[in-house]
Amino acid sequence: MAILVVDDSRLYRNIIKNVLAERNMADEGILDAGDGSEALSILLEREDISLLLVDWNMPKMNGLDLVKKIREMDRYKTMPIVMITSEAARYNVMEALKAGVSDYVVKPITGRILGNKIDAFLQR
Amino acid sequence: MDVRYINPFIVASINAFTNFLQTEIKAQKPFLYDAGNSDLHYDVSGIIGLAGEVKGSVVVSFPKLAALKIVTRMTGVETKVFDDDVTDAVGELVNIVAGNAKKGLQQFRIEISLPSVVKGPQHRIAWMAGVPVITVPLSCEFGMVYLFVSIKEVGA
């Protein structure tokens, strides 16, 4: 099982990866990408990704477009996707849910809250 | 500019510093930006463009020492030089301020750009012509930080 963290901020990727490491996720099970395009390549290549944590605003391909693309793929139709973004407007939340995200978290987020969200998906 | 458009950015800045950096920040009285004002000292700025039903930009500017202290707080590693971590942290902070502020401006559909970061003592920002810029000094344990908001309704 692997989790993919997608954020153009290395700082935020590390924050999220630290939360995952605290959950005893093995290093090799935590993958990361700096934009949607890089994430898509990983998702096409690997078959063991079971949770996607994705930012919205990123270069090359943003998180929303990534979610729309992978929801069209049979193997990722039901994979949990958590969008972690600074975009706090209600219309953004609605747009992301419509695109297929499972949960929506507004930055800044504490490790505790993010950890609880991740735990909920990992236990399913 | 309608001053009600400024408050969401102040609230978002306070939220970002409180929840992201775990530090208290106090907003001082806002004033109209004047390019000739030499009292404002900053070395690095994070810039986000606003588009959609408004136009303008949001900028958060830091003196070098404040930026280094903030990155040290974020990463837990003492940072002494302007490196990629500083660029990343400043960009992420302004991104959070702009994105969170949209919650208080939901009467408009607003698109925010990716952040860009400019470095250099007293660097100049290219503000959008015809859109006033409001300066909000923010004081915190790291020093004085400046929030600049330039926003105008499209068609107004």
Side-chain angles (χ1 to χ4, degrees):
Chain A
M1 184 186 83
I3 295 178
L4 178 57
V5 179
V6 192
D7 197 309
D8 58 333
S9 165
R10 187 163 61 93
L11 184 71
Y12 233 98
R13 288 203 304 276
N14 287 339
I15 290 171
I16 297 168
K17 286 161 73 179
N18 285 341
V19 172
L20 294 171
E22 286 167 5
R23 274 148 182 83
N24 298 319
M25 285 288 302
D27 282 351
E28 58 270 23
I30 306 173
L31 310 173
D32 69 331
D35 60 68
S37 180
E38 188 185 347
L40 186 60
S41 299
I42 294 170
L43 286 157
L44 289 170
E45 190 180 304
R46 307 260 309 213
E47 295 188 345
D48 60 342
I49 295 168
S50 53
L51 175 62
L52 176 67
L53 306 173
V54 61
D55 186 17
W56 184 314
N57 295 309
M58 295 183 290
K60 295 181 186 171
M61 182 192 296
N62 69 35
L64 191 73
D65 288 342
L66 174 66
V67 171
K68 287 176 181 171
K69 272 191 188 299
I70 63 175
R71 282 302 191 216
E72 289 172 358
M73 299 159 64
D74 282 343
R75 70 171 131 143
Y76 292 124
K77 278 203 185 309
T78 58
M79 176 182 66
I81 301 175
V82 182
M83 184 159 270
I84 305 171
T85 173
S86 69
E87 297 276 7
R90 179 171 286 275
Y91 53 77
N92 289 125
V93 180
M94 299 311 292
E95 197 173 354
L97 291 173
K98 191 177 167 193
V101 306
S102 318
D103 204 347
Y104 192 96
V105 180
V106 177
K107 295 178 182 176
I109 182 167
T110 64
R112 186 178 55 80
I113 293 172
L114 181 59
N116 289 342
K117 298 262 185 196
I118 291 168
D119 287 344
F121 284 109
L122 292 179
Q123 284 163 13
R124 284 181 190 177
Chain B
M1 185 194 307
D2 190 327
V3 292
R4 287 174 302 175
Y5 299 166
I6 305 301
N7 274 342
F9 293 95
I10 297 174
V11 170
S13 300
I14 292 170
N15 181 43
F17 276 77
T18 305
N19 293 314
F20 197 28
L21 300 172
Q22 284 87 45
T23 192
E24 193 176 325
I25 192 161
K26 287 184 179 163
Q28 298 183 359
K29 192 176 178 186
F31 56 88
L32 196 61
Y33 173 78
D34 171 8
N37 185 346
S38 57
D39 292 337
L40 308 183
H41 299 286
Y42 48 81
D43 303 292
V44 57
S45 294
I47 304 165
I48 292 252
L50 306 174
E53 293 175 2
V54 303
K55 59 182 178 180
S57 51
V58 184
V59 177
V60 184
S61 299
F62 307 81
K64 183 177 181 179
L65 193 58
L68 294 175
K69 286 179 179 175
I70 285 168
V71 178
T72 297
R73 172 68 59 87
M74 284 179 175
T75 60
V77 178
E78 189 168 5
T79 304
K80 292 183 175 175
V81 292
F82 263 24
D83 57 13
D84 289 348
D85 282 344
V86 176
T87 305
D88 191 338
V90 169
E92 193 59 21
L93 257 177
V94 72
N95 180 47
I96 289 172
V97 169
N100 285 193
K102 288 171 64 173
K103 192 174 181 182
L105 292 164
Q106 297 196 76
Q107 65 271 44
F108 304 115
R109 173 87 195 192
I110 301 173
E111 308 298 333
I112 62 174
S113 73
L114 291 172
S116 55
V117 176
V118 180
K119 296 177 194 170
Q122 300 305 101
H123 52 266
R124 283 186 172 270
I125 309 282
W127 300 104
M128 192 173 283
V131 186
V133 182
I134 300 296
T135 307
V136 187
L138 304 166
S139 63
C140 66
E141 64 177 293
F142 308 116
M144 193 63 84
V145 174
Y146 299 98
L147 167 69
F148 300 100
V149 182
S150 171
I151 182 170
K152 185 177 183 182
E153 290 174 56
V154 169

